[in-house]
Amino acid sequence: KADVALYHAKAGGRSSYAFFGHEMDLTLAMRKGMEQDLRNALDATGRIQVHYQPLYAADTNRMTGVEALARWSDAERGWVAPDLFIPLSEEAGLIEKLGELVLRQACLDAVDWPIETLAVNVSALQLNNPSFAMRVTSILLETHMDPRRLEIEVTESALSERRSECRNNIEALRSIGVRFALDDFGTGFSSLGRLQTLEVDRIKIDRSFVQGFGHSNGDEAIVQAIINLARATGLSTTAEGVETESQCDYLRKLGCDQLQGFLLSRPLPKGDLQELFGGVSARASA
Ligand code: C2E
Ligand code: MG
Ligand code: MG
Ligand code: MG
């Protein structure tokens, strides 16, 4: 299908396809088509779903939380990757609607789950909207979700703007107990030194560092430095993208607090996740 080309173009570098003469019209038309499909999906029920990836305490192997991840299943396209439809939602002005749908669904699902933390991703555009804190608060009330169980994941670039709307939203939500995590840490603009000035409770170490263990010179040292600094500053750490036992062991040795990755569990639909609650912790100690 022609759309596949667009997926790859988008994945390889945003809008890189826009420079090729008449192809531009074609891809713009496809893009508009996808935008309309996404719009329709947001108005339908069940087209946008939420999957949950478990988060494990590194020392006890206990599942302490989940990260909610948006999933879009389109009748013709099949599953569309979030790395494609999240930027599309942002560009099309649909991210607030999508974000609220995910947050509401995740709160409804997780309210009775035996875990402390529900982590939800939020885009910079949402954070800069003056009514963001109020909207989140009303969803928490409506779903009876304890604000202290919600952890909002934001990227470094979202915080780097330091817009007053963004600061106000974070302050308002923190005052009712909502926590914040810095997602994909290490890939953005923040220096380690700035960590102390950001209003976050946790940093999530980007999976590129974890996956560089044993291959890329210095990734071990970088992760060690991030974990040490986080500890010294009173922040918790999560390692993303844990795929092998040796990465797992090494992160434990470095003193990482929380682990997330395909080795431990893939993102799961609600029903499959709930089956895990029946049993013991997912993995035996290393
Ligand atoms: P993220 O927040 O960093 O989420 C983690 C991503 O890493 C997820 O990709 C997850 O499936 C993937 N992952 C987890 N463990 C492993 C592993 O061991 N190996 C590898 N290779 N990947 C792993 P996913 O679900 O495709 O989401 C991609 C990104 O899309 C997310 O990255 C997040 O930035 C964004 N996203 C997803 N859902 C939402 C949402 O509801 N709102 C917003 N604003 N962004 C979202
Ligand atoms: Mg995340
Ligand atoms: Mg991440
Ligand atoms: Mg990511």
Side-chain angles (χ1 to χ4, degrees), residues 67 121 153 182-185 204-207 240 260:
E67 177 175 0
N121 295 283
E153 297 193 4
L182 200 48
D183 209 346
D184 304 336
F185 185 78
K204 299 192 71 174
I205 302 163
D206 191 71
R207 69 166 179 259
E240 303 183 322
Q260 173 180 16

Side-chain angles (χ1 to χ4, degrees), residues 216-238:
S216 167
N217 262 340
D219 280 352
E220 287 93 342
I222 290 171
V223 171
Q224 171 92 77
I226 294 173
I227 290 171
N228 289 346
L229 189 81
R231 288 189 136 186
T233 327
L235 301 176
S236 305
T237 50
T238 301

Side-chain angles (χ1 to χ4, degrees), residues 16-17 26 33 61 66 69 76 83 113 139 141 144 160 163 166 188 207 261 278:
S16 58
Y17 53 83
L26 184 66
N61 303 309
V66 291
L69 294 160
E76 281 171 29
D83 287 333
W113 289 348
I139 290 172
L141 286 169
H144 306 287
S160 71
R163 300 254 305 262
C166 170
R207 69 166 179 259

